[in-house]
Amino acid sequence: MKDTLPPQLDQTRVRQSFRRGLNSYHGTASVQADIAAQLAGLLQAQGAPRRFGAVLEFGCGTGHLTRHLLQRFTAGSLLLNDLVPEAAQVLQALGSAAPAQSRFEGGPVETLPLPQQLDLIASASTVQWIPDLPALTARLAARLKPGGWLALSGFGRGQFRELAALGSSAAAPSYLDAGEWPSVLPQDLEILAIEQRPAVLEFDTALELLKHLRRTGVNGHAQQSWSRRRLQDFESAYRQRFGVGGKLPLTYDPVLLVARKTG
């Protein structure tokens, strides 16, 4: 885990941030959409069966991962969860693509009543918001069948490295590099594949960059207010340290893993 204490997570603020960005998230979060596609592909590449019995996806958001899973696999039942209750609308958006036995439960996954004997637990771009990841992964592993699958993606320590270097307080509490995940998972989960592939977006102005963060809700832990002067100072410092060819880069540092329960 981290070598410094994680910041105290204000879950209400995180929920409000993602609720505010829910309508713009699906079309704006291009990196998260790519991650969802890669995670479903990684699960298939590791030999996961074409059909799962019971499936849980937490942090479903607007359904990026849900759609990619349902394009590659079928499920007997599907439980979707998100911290933001309004994300329940994803079931309506899925229409007939969703299994007949599908339902949504809102709230923190840490306290969500979970079914037993799950065949697949999946989540994309969510676990970085979980302060106690070892506790959550132990809880998830206990709900998997022997031989059940776990497909997760979070973000590594290089996530938004430019913002961190400029003193941003928007970091999520659990950024973990690929090499740190084996010590987080319980012993009865065997990692089959793990990948860390940074991706960089570029923006013309600091205002565009900040709007991107707001529209995707990923700055849910930020507590900064912006004046015109503060924005100008921020853009000047950003260009001086990281500007390339007139653009402002923003680094995403996704980590994807597929594991299977032994026994």
Side-chain angles (χ1 to χ4, degrees), residues 61-62 70 114-115 118 131-132 137 139 144 147 164 169 191 198 204 207 217 236 246 248:
T62 57
L70 293 176
L114 298 178
L118 290 163
D132 190 347
T137 56
R139 185 166 185 256
L144 279 173
S169 61
I191 295 178
D204 290 327
L207 183 59
S236 177
L248 300 179

Side-chain angles (χ1 to χ4, degrees), residues 11-25:
Q11 201 167 64
T12 299
R13 180 182 290 272
V14 173
R15 182 187 295 110
Q16 290 173 343
S17 181
F18 279 105
R19 176 183 287 128
R20 185 177 60 230
L22 192 63
N23 290 332
S24 55
Y25 181 90

